[in-house]
Amino acid sequence: MDSLPPTTSVAALLRWYADAGVDETIEETALDRYALTAALTARPAATTATTTPPPASTPPPPRTAVREPPMTAPSRVPLESPQLVEDARAAAASASSLAELEAAIRAFEGCSLKRLAKNTVFADGAVDAPVMVVGEAPGEDEDRQGKPFVGVSGRLMDRMFAAIELTRERDVYITNILNWRPPGNRTPNLSDVAICVAFARRHIELKRPRLLVLAGGVPAKSLLETETGITRLRGRWFEYTLPDGTRIPAMPMFHPAYLLRSPGGKRQSWIDLLNIRDRLDQILAT
Ligand code: URA
């Protein structure tokens, strides 16, 4: 008889799955949706009657353990749902303080990411900080703890700001474009971003920072409404305009996760940090 694998190997296997991004069990066996789509396309038109009905005494066919794929085509991921975007905007607009915005986001059911996330991740840092950092999306650690940038990228980000004498406790307030972790840390799709950016915009409006740092391509592109990539955006000053006309200097930077993968980018990020420090000193002096 096969012996059961030791508990440690099962735990290691689960850990391996989680690290690879598998964080949800949907079916016992994997479903090849490409084959399913092909089969559906090739399926002949259904017949309505059989010419030779089986004799009444024929026993029903035995039930087998084989699972038939569902006979509907897999649903497409909508690129953007205008109604859900409208709902998010209305929910965001109904909030008149950061606490109300947090409550509105927690109550919002229009973003499918929320179904798989453990936590809603709102913000961390000093509420009256002059600098507001907007990142991309919570990762595994952030999802578990319910706070942005608490994992390995967050630790690098804290060290980067510490190098220009800014701390999360006093000078920096942090949030993300997405308030829920995309499963397996996949890149946020257009639909996720279009819905959640409504909350991020209201977040900036209610927080009213003196300076914005956009950490990575997703916040830079969505908040500056551009298709230009982060490599060309970083290091340049932009103006982010609030609905009342207030203009906030905004600096796109490489995301710390990118710097962990490509340490060569740290030299450019150091220049960006010095630039941020200079601009902040000017702002605080006025
Ligand atoms: N990366 C992000 O963009 N945000 C987080 O909160 C963590 C990692």
Side-chain angles (χ1 to χ4, degrees), residues 121 134-139 142 147-151 153-154 174-176 215 255 257:
V121 177
V134 185
E136 181 177 310
E142 290 76 17
K147 281 186 185 178
F149 282 103
V150 288
S153 307
I174 304 168
T175 188
N176 283 309
H255 192 284

Side-chain angles (χ1 to χ4, degrees), residues 168-190:
R168 215 186 263 234
E169 292 70 35
R170 185 189 57 206
D171 316 288
V172 184
Y173 178 83
I174 304 168
T175 188
N176 283 309
I177 292 291
L178 303 189
N179 299 102
W180 299 279
R181 179 194 183 204
N185 294 347
R186 69 157 165 77
T187 306
N189 64 37
L190 288 182

